[in-house]
Each structure stands twice: as structure tokens, then as C-alpha cells.
Amino acid sequence: MPQLGLCCLFQEEPIKFRVTTARHLGTLSLSGRAAKLSTLCLHNAQALRDAIHFCSRHGIGAFRVNSRILPLKTHPDFGYELHQLPHGAEIEGCFLECGQTAAELQIRLSFHPDQFTLLSSPNPEITRKSIVELAYQAEVAEWIGADVINIHGGGAYGDKASALKRIARAIEQLDGAIRSRLTLENDERVYTPSDLLPLCRAHQIPFVYDVHHHRCLPDGLTVEEVTGMALKTWNRPPLFHISSPKEGWGQPNTNRHHDYIDIADFPDCWRQLDITIDVEAKAKELAVAQLRRQLAGI
DNA sequence: AGCGGTCAAGTTGAT
DNA sequence: ATCAACTTGACCGCT
């Protein structure tokens, strides 16, 4: 049976990750900024530790770490290094503990940089900033032992073939910490599995199969076909995504995520696989628990 | 204490 | 040409 993964947040369990805004930091003195960021980062490292324990206690096999675990880490004006913060060493130590605990409890950790992180852009400055973002997440990934940093293809810019070539070129220039963790996922608007799988095969990048996106943006391949092709791209346990449409299928907008997973949306061919499935549902740990019960036939 | 406006980033597609 | 939707809630300033 697959391991189920929880994404970033909790619905009921009181584990919170804190953030701040650039605007607010701008109102503070230099030392005030460092103090504020230090407090938030330490809080978030401890919250991650709590999240890992929660997953272990509740039969959840994976946890996706929010991109803002270190708030504004790569912001052009307010970015920082951990050693510049009053509790920098303590924060790093807490992340290292998270890594040990996750390894002991066998909780798989991953990252999913958001839509601003693009390797397909024709604008080199956007690519450069994206790689800075990937480097930040890779640094935390090293501390905590996360093995996946998953991104989308991004835009097509009117010429998908050229955009795919830019992704490939950028991938070949990544350093090992990023490269060894980077994965590509099909999205609901531009890049289908058919678009990404050849690139993944050619450059040894694992393919994260999101079946909901595939149903929103089909490419002629069946769920079974893509599942088989996706599995072959992995040199470690495969990671897939599941979600259900908020308003149901056949409505104008199927992109929005439902609170829970409709078991009818869960591919039968996934039931016996040794894979991790991130559950993208707004009810968070409650949705994972419900899906877990349904898969167990309870 | 409670409320509501606001929040770094890029691209697409609806209007 | 403009703007919401992606993720999505939490923060902060004001009353």
C-alpha cells in the first residue's frame, strides 16, 4: 500500500508555521529585523519537528515542507543567511534534529517551490532568481534529509519546445544539491505528462505524476500508461499527487481542490504500488486520515 | 480583542 | 489592457 503525504499545513492540529511580510520588516531597525526573523525561523524549525512527530503518530508517511519555512529567505531586499540571525546556530541545529527524527521515524520530507520558481523563462534574470530559490530549499533539504524538490514547467511563452530546451539547459547547470533532488510535475494549464516525460528520461529527472492535473489537462495517455512511465523515471520511491475537484467534474473550473479526496478519483492502479502519494486537499490531516481509512477498506 | 486589508516573486487566460 | 487564480492562511495596524 502507498504511503500518504501531508502538504505543509494542518487543519485541526495546532501546529502553525509563521511568516512575515517585507513591508513589515521594512518598518523595523536592522537589529529588529534580525530578531523578528530569528524568532520566526526558530519557531518554524520547532514546528517542523512537531509535524514530523505528528505524522509518525498518525500513520502519515511523508510531509511537504512549505517554501516559507525560512520566511523571506531569498527576498532581494530582506534576504539573509541563518548565521546572521541571533539564533542562527540553534535554528540549524533544530533542522538537523528534524532530519535525524524524520530518518528514524521514516517520514519522507519534500519541497515544492511555488509558481515563481521557473527554469523555462526566456528572461535569464528570472532563471537566476529561481536558482537562488532552489539553492535555499536545497540547503534546508540537506539539513533535514529531504530527497525531493518538485517544480512545474512554468510557462510556454508561445513556444513549448523552446521552453523545454531552456529547462533542460538550466537543469544541466544546476549544482549537485539541487540536481539530485529536482523533480518535474505536470500542471493543469501548460505541461502534460507527454511534454515532460521525454525531458525527464533524457536528463534523469524523476517525474511527479499529478493525476488531477492530468485529468484537467489530458494528453491522450491513460492514467495507467502515465503511471507506468512515471514509475520508471525514479531512482528512489516514486512521488505522485492526488486531489479532487472542489465543484466536481463537469463543472467549469475543475482546478480548485476539494476539502477531501473522493475515493473514485483514486486510481485503482496505484493501490498496490510502493510509492508516496501527496494528498492535496484542504482538510489536510483529516483528508489524509479519511483516504487512509478508505484505502484500507474501513 | 476583533476586524479587515494585505501579502516578493510569474504566467496564463478570462473579461 | 487589466486582473484573478494558482498556494491559503496569517499577519499587522487600526479601532
Side-chain angles (χ1 to χ4, degrees):
Chain A
M1 178 158 152
Q3 300 265 51
L4 299 183
L6 173 63
C7 298
C8 306
L9 300 171
F10 294 82
Q11 171 79 251
E12 286 190 347
E13 184 69 11
I15 298 174
K16 304 284 181 196
F17 293 90
R18 301 184 58 194
V19 295
T20 188
T21 62
R23 174 195 286 243
H24 175 62
L25 277 192
T27 68
L28 304 177
S29 67
L30 280 180
S31 64
R33 288 175 199 172
K36 174 87 187 180
L37 289 166
S38 193
T39 300
L40 296 183
C41 292
L42 183 58
H43 171 95
N44 289 350
Q46 292 166 343
L48 178 59
R49 179 196 59 201
D50 295 344
I52 292 164
H53 283 292
F54 177 92
C55 289
S56 176
R57 288 198 307 275
H58 292 83
I60 297 172
F63 185 72
R64 182 189 300 173
V65 182
N66 195 288
S67 299
R68 288 142 86 180
I69 184 103
L70 300 182
L72 299 171
K73 176 71 168 64
T74 61
H75 189 281
D77 301 323
F78 300 101
Y80 54 92
E81 293 300 325
L82 226 43
H83 66 74
Q84 299 172 307
L85 304 181
H87 300 96
E90 192 183 342
I91 294 162
E92 186 178 332
C94 192
F95 280 123
L96 292 170
E97 272 182 53
C98 286
Q100 285 184 0
T101 306
E104 284 163 17
L105 301 177
Q106 299 189 63
I107 305 299
R108 186 182 198 181
L109 299 174
S110 69
F111 287 83
H112 195 356
D114 50 22
Q115 65 271 30
F116 313 109
T117 304
L118 301 164
L119 297 181
S120 56
S121 175
N123 179 345
E125 184 58 15
I126 289 172
T127 307
R128 185 193 66 76
K129 287 194 282 189
S130 295
I131 292 171
V132 168
E133 180 69 21
L134 290 170
Y136 141 56
Q137 302 202 20
E139 182 180 28
V140 183
E142 295 244 308
W143 292 331
I144 68 177
D147 72 315
V148 166
I149 300 176
N150 178 46
I151 62 171
H152 292 290
Y157 311 89
D159 180 355
K160 205 185 279 184
S162 297
L164 283 163
K165 282 182 190 158
R166 287 193 294 271
I167 296 174
R169 186 156 31 118
I171 283 172
E172 288 310 317
Q173 290 170 19
L174 295 174
D175 76 46
I178 303 172
R179 171 69 198 250
S180 62
R181 296 180 170 87
L182 192 77
T183 64
L184 284 168
E185 177 194 348
N186 62 304
D187 64 79
E188 76 281 31
R189 297 175 356 147
V190 180
Y191 288 95
T192 64
S194 299
D195 293 325
L196 295 175
L197 277 161
L199 174 67
C200 289
R201 289 189 202 105
H203 297 269
Q204 294 86 49
I205 297 295
F207 176 67
V208 172
Y209 179 32
D210 186 314
V211 70
H212 181 245
H213 289 158
H214 191 210
R215 288 165 175 152
C216 294
L217 183 69
D219 57 1
L221 296 175
T222 66
V223 171
E224 291 74 17
E225 286 167 335
V226 175
T227 296
M229 291 186 244
L231 293 176
K232 288 187 192 142
T233 65
W234 285 86
N235 61 355
R236 48 198 187 274
L239 176 63
F240 290 179
H241 290 179
I242 185 81
S243 47
S244 286
K246 186 171 183 59
E247 279 95 27
W249 298 105
Q251 295 302 310
N253 186 351
T254 54
N255 295 341
R256 302 183 66 105
H257 291 167
H258 194 94
D259 290 349
Y260 290 90
I261 304 301
D262 182 343
I263 192 67
D265 292 327
F266 191 94
D268 280 336
C269 63
W270 290 11
R271 282 179 176 265
Q272 301 302 324
L273 298 177
D274 186 17
I275 59 177
T276 301
I277 303 171
D278 276 355
V279 176
E280 297 187 321
K282 299 180 108 170
K284 297 297 170 184
E285 78 275 19
L286 306 182
V288 178
Q290 187 196 68
L291 180 58
R292 202 163 162 261
R293 287 193 300 270
Q294 291 189 296
L295 289 174
I298 298 168

